[in-house]
Amino acid sequence: MILFVRHGKASLGAADYDVLSDTGEFQSELLGTELSRRGVSPARILTGRLNRQQQTARCTLRASRWSTSVEVDEAWNEFDHEDVAAAHREVDTPDAEPLDRAIPRWSSGLHDHEYTEPFPAFTKRVDDALRTLAAELGSGETAVVFTSAGVIGWVAASLLGGGEPQWSALNRVAVNSGVTKVVVGGRGCTLVTFNEHSHLPAQLVTYR
């Protein structure tokens, strides 16, 4: 079984977005407490290289009291929002909100030459990382992966066969510290739940 955790709420509007806010830390601690209560005992814990992903892992581990070491793997990094937005600014008006239209432009596949990591390269990276992790897990073992909305959205969309349109919809609704469960079996990987966040009270449900 693989549990994909979206990072806690980052510092939107601050000089450095890639740092958990106080809310993000609390969300992550609540998740750790809940996963421990459920008896989750991961054989492997992985995170991307982004600060918000690694901080979420540390806060969750502190609350869950897991002793498993954390592995850092860049394959679980989010796509580069700054690169995607920068390419879009070249064709948008100066007062536009770049990311709102930049992501659909990037994921359309019509402008791949403009990006450091085009959308097909991003999805292949995620598919390869999922395939590798699933193959490495032993029978009955659980892995927890701390990553981001784009990655988790693609895992879900790919397993459901929905492609880019489904990814685009899922990417917008991923909850901070939400959990997506994938079961690994003889038929490969199966999506069981997406974006489960019952560990959060309503006032702590955030999306960015």
Side-chain angles (χ1 to χ4, degrees):
M1 177 174 70
I2 306 173
L3 301 179
F4 291 94
V5 176
R6 189 194 177 194
H7 63 78
K9 182 176 176 62
S11 298
L12 187 66
D16 185 2
Y17 169 77
D18 194 22
V19 176
L20 287 190
S21 62
D22 291 344
T23 296
E25 292 186 359
F26 190 33
Q27 291 168 331
S28 306
E29 291 167 356
L30 289 175
L31 174 63
T33 300
E34 177 60 17
L35 291 179
S36 178
R37 186 192 69 79
R38 296 180 188 180
V40 175
S41 180
R44 295 183 66 182
I45 299 173
L46 300 95
T47 176
R49 193 167 293 280
L50 303 179
N51 287 333
R52 58 189 182 273
Q53 298 169 343
Q54 295 186 37
Q55 286 181 289
T56 301
R58 287 195 295 270
C59 291
T60 302
L61 263 69
R62 183 168 61 241
S64 65
R65 299 185 179 180
W66 291 333
S67 58
T68 309
S69 60
V70 177
E71 308 167 46
V72 177
D73 185 347
E74 291 185 352
W76 299 113
N77 284 1
E78 179 65 295
F79 63 88
D80 189 338
H81 290 88
E82 293 182 0
D83 180 61
V84 169
H88 190 62
R89 276 194 290 269
E90 297 299 321
V91 298
D92 210 345
T93 57
D95 60 343
E97 176 58 41
L99 213 51
D100 287 348
R101 290 192 293 264
I103 292 176
R105 186 173 187 271
W106 169 67
S107 65
S108 73
L110 299 176
H111 312 277
D112 288 350
H113 63 283
E114 298 179 13
Y115 301 99
T116 302
E117 185 181 44
F119 187 70
F122 165 73
T123 59
K124 183 180 185 304
R125 166 165 65 85
V126 175
D127 285 339
D128 288 347
L130 175 60
R131 189 179 304 110
T132 298
L133 178 56
E136 292 173 348
L137 276 183
S139 176
E141 288 187 335
T142 296
V144 180
V145 180
F146 293 88
T147 181
S148 299
V151 172
I152 297 169
W154 182 254
V155 167
S158 179
L159 293 178
L160 293 173
E164 189 278 337
Q166 191 166 58
W167 172 82
S168 182
L170 296 177
N171 182 49
R172 292 194 296 266
V173 299
V175 170
N176 293 116
S177 79
V179 180
T180 293
K181 179 195 275 189
V182 171
V183 171
V184 181
R187 297 183 178 180
C189 294
T190 302
L191 180 70
V192 177
T193 60
F194 172 76
N195 211 25
E196 195 275 318
H197 52 277
S198 60
H199 59 286
L200 296 175
Q203 66 270 24
L204 287 178
V205 175
T206 61
Y207 300 89
R208 299 185 69 178

